Amino acid sequence: MADYQLVIIGAGLSGLAAGIRAARFGTKTLIVEQHHRAGGLNSWYTFHGHLLETGLHAMTNFAPPERKKAPLNLLFRQLQLSRREFPVQEQWESEIVFPGRSLRFSNNPELLQTEVARVFPGSSAGFLRLWQAVADYDPFADAPWQSAREFVRTFVPELALAEMLFLPLMLYGNAEEHDMALAQFVIMFRAVFAEGLFRPAGGIQRLLELLLGQYRRFGGEIRFRADVAELVLQDERICALRLTDGSEISADKVLSTAGIPESIRLARQEEGSASRPAAPAEYSGRMSFTETIALIPRSARATLPLRQDRTLIFYNTSNSFCYQRPQTLQDCSWGVICFPEHFAGAADDRSGDCFAIRITNPASFPLWQDLRERSAQDYQNAKAACRAAAVSASEALIGAYSQAIRYQDSFTPLTIERFTRKAQGAVYGSPVKIADGTTPWPNLFIAGTDQGYLGIVGAMLSGVSIVNRHILR
């Protein structure tokens, strides 16, 4: 008999949700997590005494408790959690800024529709038709890949509007370069524009505590600092997980949230083996990012002259928008600026006298990797230079604050790979999605971004869907 009926690799949001769902129905479940804290990249840490969050700036798919069929509320029912006892904080108002144009949006869909009519009057009617087409489309139907850009162009002929719509949707959930699968576009359009953005009251720490508590209440076990070195095969099935300390954990079934390339690597004994193939190159994502966090005195916040009331600012300073891996360490011509306190009531969660500004920009994993391999000092110097460049680019949009910065921190694509084990620091995983979560091994399944579910709510629904489909049945 195996030690566990189900072992889940990774205590990120999809792994925790999968664990809750499995343990709830009596499956003997263990989650193994390589770090000392749950959450993966969507977690938190303290820096000079200040509590800071990592990963996504906001949760998507906002819905009030009375909307029973909304993804957020469906998720809570699957996890047997009370949605009404989960206080949330909605975004104030966000903005998409391009040269000479900007569009505001919030959790009220009418704001974006009004903004499009104001800035792009010739595309107003087409945009409303696009909105309805997105509402009618089934992104989970079995269908071949379809270009989101071509789909949008049939409704919105003005390229500038299309690019402005794509910026937040790609930046918050697209593993492909240049274009986007129509199904992914529909999921993200609904999640960001039709439903909206929010954060848990108390932040990501509060959400993680809620999930961990529920998992343990159902009898689930979790081991931190348990790094998986290899998946052990017997008769073409996974029979055990070998940890880096040499110990083994036997399992009937394994669910990996580490992404397709890493999952295949763990199950591969030797290069070229017919039974343990290497992950094809097309499964490796290319889109990764840097994040810069600046802490300024709370009193200095009032001196920021521009866009003081925005929650998120998605910006592009070029004449065109090109979603691709940059040719340099970091590309500051486009990205997103987040004010973590600019959610309704979020300031009440904050302590101390500092105000945080988070800036995310696209980055090149191979260039950062080469730099670190050459020189640890050069790597640190490059991080400092990229922090300064990110702050400088953001100042053009919100006003000067660099002189007021009290503390700064940052992470690179290498940090993302280390904390998530997503190959090449690809936040949104592989451009090839496996909707049913199956792998070449009959008792190894994947969940998370590589299944095609995106965002925090999507990640948790992914874990639930795999357990429902392959574990509980």
Side-chain angles (χ1 to χ4, degrees):
M1 292 181 62
D3 296 326
Y4 293 91
Q5 293 172 290
L6 173 65
V7 175
I8 298 170
I9 302 174
L13 294 162
S14 57
L16 289 172
I20 293 171
R21 186 66 177 170
R24 174 186 171 185
F25 289 96
T27 305
K28 188 179 181 183
T29 305
L30 172 70
I31 298 176
V32 290
E33 168 56 48
Q34 64 178 335
H35 298 292
H36 70 283
R37 180 175 294 149
L41 193 62
N42 291 297
S43 190
W44 57 274
Y45 69 108
T46 55
F47 182 71
H48 291 278
H50 297 274
L51 181 67
L52 300 175
E53 296 176 340
T54 62
L56 290 178
H57 305 123
M59 292 179 67
T60 59
N61 303 93
F62 170 77
E66 57 270 18
R67 286 182 53 197
K68 303 296 184 182
K69 296 184 179 181
L72 177 63
N73 298 328
L74 289 172
L75 170 67
F76 268 62
R77 287 200 295 278
Q78 291 281 304
L79 302 180
Q80 209 170 23
L81 291 167
S82 171
R83 171 66 179 85
R84 294 188 181 278
E85 295 178 8
F86 179 62
V88 301
Q89 300 161 339
E90 296 186 60
Q91 67 170 324
W92 287 0
E93 187 177 281
S94 295
E95 188 173 6
I96 308 166
V97 181
F98 272 55
R101 293 187 175 101
S102 71
L103 294 172
R104 296 175 299 132
F105 68 95
S106 67
N107 290 4
N108 179 359
E110 292 182 0
L111 175 59
L112 179 59
Q113 295 168 4
T114 301
E115 284 284 281
V116 169
R118 177 181 63 85
V119 181
F120 297 96
S123 293
S124 179
F127 178 71
L128 293 178
R129 290 194 298 272
L130 171 64
W131 194 285
Q132 186 59 51
V134 166
D136 294 339
Y137 188 87
D138 180 4
F140 301 105
D142 187 12
W145 186 93
Q146 185 176 349
S147 165
R149 285 194 176 276
E150 292 181 2
F151 179 81
V152 172
R153 195 175 299 124
T154 62
F155 299 93
V156 177
E158 293 184 83
L159 180 60
L161 173 56
E163 291 187 337
M164 292 182 80
L165 296 175
F166 273 110
L167 173 56
L169 306 189
M170 287 182 159
L171 205 155
Y172 267 13
N174 187 29
E176 302 181 55
E177 292 183 297
H178 307 295
D179 205 346
M180 193 174 190
L182 177 57
Q184 297 295 306
F185 172 83
V186 168
I187 291 171
M188 292 306 300
F189 190 101
R190 292 176 183 172
V192 175
F193 294 142
E195 293 172 334
L197 307 174
F198 69 102
R199 70 190 297 276
I204 192 68
Q205 181 181 7
R206 162 68 178 136
L207 177 61
L208 292 172
E209 290 171 351
L210 180 70
L211 297 174
L212 278 169
Q214 186 75 330
Y215 175 62
R216 286 169 169 148
R217 273 190 292 275
F218 287 135
E221 299 177 40
I222 187 167
R223 296 187 196 176
F224 291 104
R225 300 189 186 279
D227 192 3
V228 180
E230 182 185 4
L231 297 176
V232 182
L233 268 72
Q234 182 178 358
D235 299 327
E236 301 303 318
R237 295 174 64 87
I238 309 298
C239 65
L241 297 84
R242 183 173 294 127
L243 305 184
T244 53
D245 64 6
S247 62
E248 289 191 6
I249 304 166
S250 59
D252 291 331
K253 295 180 180 180
V254 177
L255 192 159
S256 173
T257 65
I260 297 170
E262 176 66 4
S263 300
I264 291 180
R265 187 191 72 81
L266 291 172
R268 186 190 68 231
Q269 189 170 36
E270 58 186 32
E271 191 72 31
S273 167
S275 61
R276 301 189 178 192
E282 61 265 27
Y283 284 94
S284 293
R286 291 172 54 86
M287 293 305 300
S288 192
F289 301 88
T290 56
E291 169 128 340
T292 297
I293 302 172
L295 295 174
I296 64 174
R298 197 172 298 277
S299 58
R301 175 189 174 279
T303 66
L304 297 177
L306 305 173
R307 299 183 171 89
Q308 283 197 24
D309 58 347
R310 301 294 186 259
T311 300
L312 297 160
I313 302 169
F314 298 90
Y315 73 90
N316 172 58
T317 61
S318 302
N319 291 327
S320 61
F321 168 54
C322 191
Y323 186 80
Q324 65 178 14
R325 174 189 284 174
Q327 301 299 310
T328 54
L329 290 171
Q330 171 183 272
D331 181 4
C332 292
S333 69
W334 62 273
V336 59
I337 304 165
C338 173
F339 298 106
E341 292 189 19
H342 288 184
F343 293 81
D348 298 337
D349 296 337
R350 303 291 166 172
S351 60
D353 61 348
C354 279
F355 177 82
I357 302 170
R358 294 177 60 185
I359 311 160
T360 301
N361 296 111
S364 169
F365 176 89
L367 295 181
W368 281 104
Q369 185 179 48
D370 291 345
L371 183 65
R372 187 182 63 178
E373 290 175 353
R374 289 202 311 269
S375 167
Q377 187 58 55
D378 287 349
Y379 177 78
Q380 294 300 326
N381 292 342
K383 284 184 68 175
C386 285
R387 283 196 296 267
V391 167
S392 178
S394 69
E395 288 184 307
L397 294 154
I398 63 176
Y401 65 94
S402 57
Q403 297 302 312
I405 293 176
R406 185 172 294 176
Y407 306 111
Q408 277 185 291
D409 199 12
S410 62
F411 61 76
T412 72
L414 275 63
T415 318
I416 297 172
E417 185 183 61
R418 185 170 73 252
F419 278 87
T420 67
R421 298 184 74 157
K422 296 289 177 62
Q424 300 194 60
V427 175
Y428 305 121
S430 169
V432 180
K433 304 301 181 185
I434 302 179
D436 64 3
T438 58
T439 72
W441 301 275
N443 65 332
L444 172 63
F445 308 97
I446 62 162
T449 55
D450 283 358
Q451 193 193 351
Y453 291 71
L454 299 166
I456 290 176
V457 173
M460 290 190 284
L461 283 170
S462 169
V464 168
S465 73
I466 292 300
V467 169
N468 288 345
R469 183 167 186 165
H470 298 293
I471 310 303
L472 299 183
R473 290 184 180 178

